[in-house]
Amino acid sequence: MTNRAKRRPRILTVKKVRQLSPHMLRVTFAGPELEGFPIGHEGANCKLVLPRDGEGRDEFEAYFAPDGPTEKVHPVRTYTVRAFRQDDLELDIDFVAHGDEGPATRWAQEAQRGSYLGFFGPSQPKITEFYADWYLIAADLSAMPVAEATLEAMPPDARGVAVFEVPSECDVREIAVPKGIEITWLVQEDVHAPSTAQVDFVSSLQWRAGVVQTCIAGESSVIRALRSHLHKERGIPRKDTYISGYWKIGLVEDEHQQAKRAEAA
């Protein structure tokens, strides 16, 4: 974090917080700090730099000054740009609220108008071209923002299947999808227990003819099984698949990223 800390992030200010479902919060940031934010990056990754417990805004911002202190380390977590409204200079980021003690979850659950954090990014969107005959979308709550952003960006005549795994029936909600996308919701109450629900669902699908594009993300063991099924059993070319592990049961983000790098190597 030391090198990143000496780059100054956008310091974003919360405008409002909305409960989308029992386990999902939407935080809306607004203000002049969003001037020049790139358009069309919904679904892209970003890095959120979280204030330390008890740290005031002046102290937080001073850390990123060229001559600021170097001994402090702020938690950094990867999230997804859910929506950006240029005319209003508003940015939405959705947070999973499982009631754990992770720094991002805790920040989001305590956030209110005037709360703040640092923002780096965004990266490029995950899917920039839609050319398939049909689409396969799969996500748990952690990946709902990228899944929803991808569905919203699809052509209106897109066809395919979307499957979402959530921890309760109350987390099932209306989302915007093309009319040709069939949605299935799966309930897995214990998100910290291994689940085969998505893998079983995708494995049992009656496969459609033609080119398929995927947007799939979530817990790493689920992703590993889905990746193997799609590439080895279904023979889908890698160029047509976005499939990524966003988290892993039992690991915090830094540990998960390290494990992903080791696996890729």
Side-chain angles (χ1 to χ4, degrees):
M1 179 56 193
T2 301
N3 292 336
R4 182 178 288 125
K6 295 300 100 178
R7 293 164 44 216
R8 179 176 171 81
R10 297 175 190 261
I11 307 298
L12 302 185
T13 304
V14 174
K15 179 179 181 179
K16 61 183 177 181
V17 179
R18 182 158 66 97
Q19 194 92 33
L20 298 179
S21 75
H23 297 98
M24 184 72 84
L25 293 169
R26 175 162 296 165
V27 178
T28 299
F29 301 89
E33 298 84 0
L34 288 166
E35 289 280 3
F37 194 90
I39 299 171
H41 280 60
E42 284 77 6
N45 286 350
C46 59
K47 296 289 186 181
L48 303 183
V49 187
L50 303 162
R52 292 160 58 92
D53 291 342
E55 185 176 37
R57 180 162 185 154
D58 289 345
E59 184 182 2
F60 179 67
E61 293 199 38
Y63 176 72
F64 300 100
D67 58 348
T70 58
E71 70 278 5
K72 291 183 179 179
V73 177
H74 292 86
V76 179
R77 293 294 183 264
T78 305
Y79 273 80
T80 300
V81 173
R82 180 62 189 86
F84 174 62
R85 294 174 290 281
Q86 184 183 34
D87 290 346
D88 299 320
L89 291 181
E90 290 184 350
L91 173 70
D92 293 338
I93 296 179
D94 292 350
F95 293 78
V96 178
H98 283 315
D100 58 43
E101 291 302 311
T105 298
R106 188 166 63 251
W107 180 91
Q109 292 180 147
E110 296 174 354
Q112 55 188 312
R113 186 179 182 90
S115 297
Y116 52 89
L117 50 63
F119 179 100
F120 285 109
S123 63
Q124 292 301 309
K126 304 307 179 187
I127 299 177
T128 57
E129 294 183 89
F130 296 92
Y131 53 79
D133 297 299
W134 67 285
Y135 299 87
L136 175 60
I137 310 298
D140 61 14
L141 274 190
S142 74
M144 284 296 296
V146 68
E148 291 185 67
T150 299
L151 287 161
E152 290 174 359
M154 284 181 183
D157 61 349
R159 296 184 177 278
V161 175
V163 56
F164 303 124
E165 187 169 341
V166 295
S168 77
E169 291 284 355
C170 295
D171 288 299
V172 176
R173 54 189 170 87
E174 292 290 331
I175 62 172
V177 301
K179 290 182 178 179
I181 301 293
E182 302 168 8
I183 300 180
T184 296
W185 295 87
L186 306 172
V187 176
Q188 165 74 3
E189 292 184 0
D190 187 355
V191 298
H192 298 295
S195 169
T196 64
Q198 291 181 66
V199 180
D200 294 342
F201 178 87
V202 173
S203 299
S204 67
L205 278 178
Q206 183 174 354
W207 214 247
R208 307 182 184 200
V211 174
V212 57
Q213 272 183 282
T214 76
C215 177
I216 299 173
E219 199 278 325
S220 283
S221 63
V222 175
I223 293 304
R224 188 179 300 110
L226 284 171
R227 183 183 290 118
S228 176
H229 175 75
L230 294 172
H231 291 159
K232 295 179 180 179
E233 298 179 40
R234 300 291 190 178
I236 300 177
R238 293 181 184 273
K239 67 180 180 63
D240 296 332
T241 58
Y242 171 72
I243 181 164
S244 181
Y246 277 14
W247 66 288
K248 184 173 178 59
I249 293 172
L251 298 182
V252 298
E253 178 167 333
D254 294 342
E255 295 169 337
H256 176 231
Q257 294 298 332
Q258 184 177 3
K260 285 182 68 174
R261 288 192 293 271
E263 184 176 330

